[in-house]
Amino acid sequence: MNKTSQSLTSAVSEIGDGATVMIGGFGGSGAPIELIHALIDKGPKDLTVINNNAGNGCIGIAAMIDAGMVRKMICSFPKSSDPRAFTDKYLAGEIELELVPQGTLAERIRAGGAGIPAFYTPTAYGTELAKGKPIGEFDGRHYVQERWLKADFAIIKAHLGDRHGNLVYNKAARNFNPLMCMAAASTIVQVSRIVEAGEIDPEHVVTPGIFVDRLVEVSQPRQEEELIRAGVTYA
């Protein structure tokens, strides 16, 4: 039941070429920067990455894209304050994009974790994003059928975890992270502190350990926005 990894390197060791990887975070909030950088060091190729955005600056997901690791992005916001990495690859035809409205993205991930293969939403009806998708009419209103999203791996960030993998998040850093834990075949988590089983009040647990496969302690995680302001480039 002890799910702790001794290093970031060992935590991401099973992620290989062609994997679909969910990466938690809403911008920099809740983004597992250290795990992402460990994955860059490992260097798998042809990844499909599911995230709220397509990276920013020269770190994190943007650095993955720069390194040529990402074949396809599934996200809501391919633009950011510094979207150069994604934009350059996209205009060169070197990366695919599946654009998904943010609420639909969250629900597709939740559906993947809940075992719901498809659902209907009015969002995107009548737009290019609905082309080729089944349309249903309910009570006089049109809805677009959307499919679940699942992944081989999720790499996420939490604030506190015990050795069994039970997790607590820090306020808004919760965002997509709990949903991704449920929708991935294997979940890898970085936490600011690992405690013994029983030290977390069960009423405070957001993600039960059954959804977590490995966790590694990063006692002083860096914040994406701070790294960008400092002009850091990860390569």
Side-chain angles (χ1 to χ4, degrees), residues 87-207:
T87 300
D88 289 354
K89 294 285 187 183
Y90 185 74
L91 293 177
E94 297 175 1
I95 191 170
E96 299 176 40
L97 171 66
E98 182 178 340
L99 190 65
V100 185
Q102 190 175 80
T104 302
L105 180 66
E107 184 62 9
R108 288 180 67 186
I109 296 169
R110 190 197 71 82
I116 300 169
F119 61 91
Y120 284 90
T121 173
T123 305
Y125 173 72
T127 73
E128 291 186 8
L129 297 183
K131 286 185 177 179
K133 297 178 180 178
I135 304 296
E137 184 175 344
F138 302 92
D139 296 330
R141 189 177 184 186
H142 290 94
Y143 293 78
V144 181
Q145 185 190 97
E146 296 283 358
R147 296 293 305 277
W148 59 8
L149 272 176
K150 298 190 287 185
D152 301 307
F153 297 92
I155 56 175
I156 68 132
K157 178 182 179 180
H159 175 62
L160 191 66
D162 67 23
R163 296 185 183 278
H164 291 178
N166 298 300
L167 304 178
V168 177
Y169 302 89
N170 183 18
K171 303 179 179 67
R174 175 172 171 170
N175 53 69
F176 287 89
N177 286 304
L179 300 180
M180 290 180 171
C181 287
M182 297 174 65
S186 181
T187 296
I188 305 158
V189 187
Q190 68 171 72
V191 295
S192 298
R193 186 162 64 96
I194 296 175
V195 300
E196 296 300 327
E199 289 190 44
I200 301 175
D201 185 336
E203 294 294 332
H204 296 165
V205 171
V206 177
T207 296

Side-chain angles (χ1 to χ4, degrees), residues 39-130:
L39 187 59
I40 293 172
D41 293 343
K42 185 176 187 297
K45 304 294 184 181
D46 296 319
L47 301 178
T48 296
V49 172
I50 301 168
N51 183 260
N52 187 56
N53 59 59
N56 196 9
C58 301
I59 60 165
I61 293 174
M64 290 178 64
I65 293 171
D66 252 342
M69 297 168 59
V70 184
R71 178 185 64 83
K72 180 179 181 179
M73 280 296 315
I74 301 175
C75 69
S76 296
F77 294 97
K79 292 292 186 179
S80 61
S81 62
D82 181 6
R84 178 197 51 79
F86 173 80
T87 300
D88 289 354
K89 294 285 187 183
Y90 185 74
L91 293 177
E94 297 175 1
I95 191 170
E96 299 176 40
L97 171 66
E98 182 178 340
L99 190 65
V100 185
Q102 190 175 80
T104 302
L105 180 66
E107 184 62 9
R108 288 180 67 186
I109 296 169
R110 190 197 71 82
I116 300 169
F119 61 91
Y120 284 90
T121 173
T123 305
Y125 173 72
T127 73
E128 291 186 8
L129 297 183

Side-chain angles (χ1 to χ4, degrees), residues 205-220:
V205 171
V206 177
T207 296
I210 193 172
F211 295 114
V212 174
D213 295 275
R214 293 185 295 284
L215 72 162
V216 59
E217 185 174 278
V218 180
S219 59
Q220 294 182 312

